[in-house]
Amino acid sequence: MCEAAGDDGGCGADTAPARRRRAPAHSHPRPCVKCGQGSAALVIRLGDAFCRGCFREYFVHKFRAMLGKNRVIFPGEKVLLALSGGPASSAMLRQVQEGLSRETAKRLRFVPGLIYVDEGAVRGQSAAQREQSLARMETLLQATGFPYHLAHLEQALELPASILRPGPGGSGEPGPSYKEAVEGFIQQQRQERDRDSGTSLPGQDMPPAAPRLPAAARTQELLRLFEAVETSTAREELLQMLRTHLILQTARTRGYAKVMTGESCTRVAIKLLTNLALGRGAFLAVDTGFVDNRHGDVMVVRPMREYMAKEIAFYNHFFDIPTVIAPPLPTKRREKPSIHRLMERFLLGLQEDFPSTISTVYRTGEKLSPAPAKASSESQRCLLCLCALDIAGEEELALEPTLIMEEPEPAGDGCCQDAPAAGAESRAAFIPLLCYSCRLTFKELGPLATLPPYVRAEAQRRIRRAEMNQQSQEVPLEDEEPGKS
């Protein structure tokens, strides 16, 4: 049979044309689909072959088109770039650098600031490794010339309880239009040019040079919090919550109106399916959309959400974009460490055999409504994620035994605990404050005593307010009884 013939014989009449057909693919590179002159350096999708120069223009144009199409970042506005050191956030930083340095009408006109959150303590890094990563990251941040802020995850334990409340100026209040913001920015530029032309990028918020690690006691407290979590999935959710709250607090205290995150199209698709598995289907448009306005005074935007991980990897490789890769969260189960990692492996595995998998999931998420149900008061918002509560009338979930299990008695005589605080801190009291997904995560967070202090403080405040509102509604009913008799 011809199929059984070796490389040197048998079916030479059939194999020779095949070799001749394959030869031109190697001897004549594909031309660039945009300019038609240069040789293609990469193929993004089937039929999209670009040379280096055209690929760079394509990459830059996509970033600027995303910002121009949505028009949520106004000229002169302070924008905080949340950097992880990974490929997507590093590419986002380079786009902002090039956009601000352009001497054209298409120049970006917002005022950037940078923040990097050190998560080495919970990622299994030693003190020396954390210092090394911080030093590398600070070198990259200093080279940009932008004001930057180095934060440690341990600082999340010191956040105020107000971080769990939506700030003033929410989405319900109409703000200035984009045209009005542009006109105001042009007038401000003219006034500054008449006064004196200083530097266009503020750098007065630079932190001290040598990065210092937090106190060992704070690090141990953070480690106890994560060690008490029962599953890797809940640990991932806890890390994401602490990181978000820490970035949000920095934005509020430093006067940033917007926060940019570097979530790529691949990461958005993974997050979309992960959140479905975690019971966050009602909030997919908020969790994965371009705009996340749940916090009121600080808006989160995702300008990298249309870039595939492949595009970002090629861009960083061709143009030498430096990155600092952090290790994943340690886990005892390598096969199925968490729902997040399991969904990532599932989608990336499908992407290898079916290259349109990620884009199909992403486009499906684009069809979701960007305006979920709004909460009229803070009592109708989830304590942890600040989304509108989606479990009205589901008393059977609140009565689940695993959720309302009482906490063990504290060690010692308990003289330092007052009765109201001890009564408020029970699992049953926390349940009505949480959405469906956060209830499932809360069940696996371990003892209440290990939760961050700001979460417990805000929960107690909401519980006391709910009790006072209930008592005030019952008082008129008691006053009417004597009159009826």
Side-chain angles (χ1 to χ4, degrees):
M1 299 293 290
C2 294
E3 291 81 3
D7 293 337
D8 56 342
C11 203
D14 293 332
T15 57
R19 292 193 189 99
R20 287 196 296 269
R21 283 195 299 268
R22 287 195 298 266
H26 300 283
S27 58
H28 302 288
R30 296 178 61 176
C32 175
V33 296
K34 187 174 183 181
C35 66
Q37 300 176 357
S39 299
L42 76 158
V43 179
I44 301 175
R45 289 175 296 271
L46 186 62
D48 291 344
F50 290 95
C51 63
R52 286 200 179 194
C54 292
F55 173 65
R56 184 171 187 170
E57 293 181 7
Y58 157 82
F59 200 93
V60 172
H61 173 74
K62 182 183 282 191
F63 184 83
R64 301 183 59 80
M66 174 64 78
L67 295 180
K69 177 178 65 175
N70 292 277
R71 289 195 171 187
V72 296
I73 299 180
F74 294 169
E77 213 169 24
K78 294 184 66 175
V79 180
L80 184 64
L81 277 65
L83 305 178
S84 64
S89 63
S90 299
M92 177 182 68
L93 174 60
R94 177 59 63 89
Q95 295 305 299
V96 173
Q97 285 181 277
E98 293 186 356
L100 290 170
S101 62
R102 289 192 172 193
E103 297 298 334
T104 63
K106 295 183 178 180
R107 177 186 177 189
L108 298 178
R109 291 184 172 87
F110 58 83
V111 181
L114 314 176
I115 182 171
Y116 171 73
V117 180
D118 167 38
E119 303 170 359
V122 299
R123 294 185 179 273
Q125 289 184 316
S126 63
Q129 291 172 330
R130 293 180 66 185
E131 288 280 7
Q132 184 179 6
S133 298
L134 277 171
R136 289 178 57 195
M137 198 66 199
E138 186 173 27
T139 301
L140 298 179
L141 298 181
Q142 285 180 343
T144 64
F146 301 150
Y148 65 91
H149 317 280
L150 292 176
H152 304 278
L153 197 63
E154 289 90 337
Q155 294 175 255
L157 301 177
E158 304 173 0
L159 290 175
S162 59
I163 200 67
L164 296 175
R165 306 167 205 161
S171 58
E173 299 181 6
S177 65
Y178 188 83
K179 183 179 180 180
E180 293 173 350
V182 171
E183 293 175 352
F185 176 75
I186 294 176
Q187 292 179 359
Q188 181 181 0
Q189 289 260 318
R190 289 173 180 171
Q191 293 174 359
E192 291 179 357
R193 201 180 299 117
D194 293 340
R195 261 189 256 124
D196 68 30
S197 61
T199 58
S200 59
L201 295 177
Q204 64 270 19
D205 292 336
M206 295 293 184
R212 292 185 177 181
L213 296 180
R218 277 296 181 192
T219 302
Q220 290 302 318
E221 183 180 355
L222 181 67
L223 291 177
R224 284 194 298 270
L225 168 61
F226 276 81
E227 289 171 358
V229 180
E230 299 176 4
T231 64
S232 299
T233 300
R235 202 172 294 119
E236 293 272 3
E237 289 293 298
L238 176 62
L239 174 59
Q240 180 178 335
M241 181 191 74
L242 295 179
R243 182 197 305 126
T244 301
H245 292 166
L246 189 55
I247 294 174
L248 178 62
Q249 178 66 12
T250 303
R252 284 178 173 174
T253 56
R254 301 286 182 172
Y256 292 95
K258 305 288 192 306
V259 173
M260 273 190 185
T261 61
E263 292 160 289
S264 64
C265 175
T266 305
R267 185 57 52 190
V268 167
I270 294 171
K271 189 174 184 180
L272 192 146
L273 292 187
T274 300
N275 286 8
L276 272 178
L278 294 176
R280 295 191 60 82
F283 314 125
L284 289 181
V286 178
D287 293 336
T288 63
F290 178 78
V291 172
D292 182 354
N293 205 17
R294 78 184 76 177
H295 305 292
D297 56 340
V298 177
M299 178 186 295
V300 178
V301 295
R302 303 179 178 96
M304 301 294 291
R305 63 191 303 268
E306 288 195 354
Y307 290 94
M308 299 288 291
K310 179 181 178 181
E311 297 174 330
I312 295 173
F314 273 117
Y315 181 80
N316 292 347
H317 173 70
F318 285 159
F319 306 108
D320 299 323
I321 309 298
T323 59
V324 179
I325 304 300
L329 283 176
T331 177
K332 297 179 181 179
R333 300 178 61 187
R334 295 184 178 180
E335 296 82 8
K336 298 179 181 179
S338 67
I339 293 179
H340 305 75
R341 301 305 169 197
L342 183 64
M343 199 64 69
E344 180 178 359
R345 293 176 185 176
F346 170 71
L347 273 182
L348 295 183
L350 280 180
Q351 180 73 9
E352 293 181 2
D353 298 328
F354 306 97
S356 61
T357 300
I358 297 294
S359 58
T360 301
V361 175
Y362 170 78
R363 298 301 174 190
T364 303
E366 282 285 272
K367 296 178 173 62
L368 298 174
S369 172
K374 297 180 181 179
S376 58
S377 63
E378 67 176 29
S379 62
Q380 298 177 358
R381 290 179 179 265
C382 176
L383 174 69
L384 300 182
C385 69
L386 292 183
C387 289
L389 293 177
D390 59 340
I391 37 75
E394 293 189 13
E395 295 84 358
E396 66 276 2
L397 183 60
L399 296 177
E400 186 178 343
T402 56
L403 287 176
I404 64 174
M405 180 180 60
E406 294 297 331
E407 295 296 313
E409 292 295 330
D413 54 1
C415 61
C416 296
Q417 283 190 331
D418 56 342
E425 288 207 346
S426 65
R427 287 188 177 273
F430 273 70
I431 300 307
L433 308 177
L434 304 174
C435 66
Y436 174 76
S437 177
C438 290
R439 287 183 178 188
L440 301 180
T441 302
F442 174 74
K443 181 179 67 174
E444 301 170 343
L445 288 184
L448 295 181
T450 61
L451 291 180
Y454 72 96
V455 174
R456 296 163 58 188
E458 177 63 14
Q460 292 177 11
R461 190 188 72 85
R462 292 194 186 186
I463 292 170
R464 287 195 297 267
R465 172 169 290 188
E467 292 175 349
M468 293 175 59
N469 291 340
Q470 185 177 4
Q471 292 175 1
S472 63
Q473 293 176 359
E474 293 176 354
V475 168
L477 295 177
E478 296 176 357
D479 294 341
E480 291 177 1
E481 292 298 329
K484 290 183 180 180
S485 60

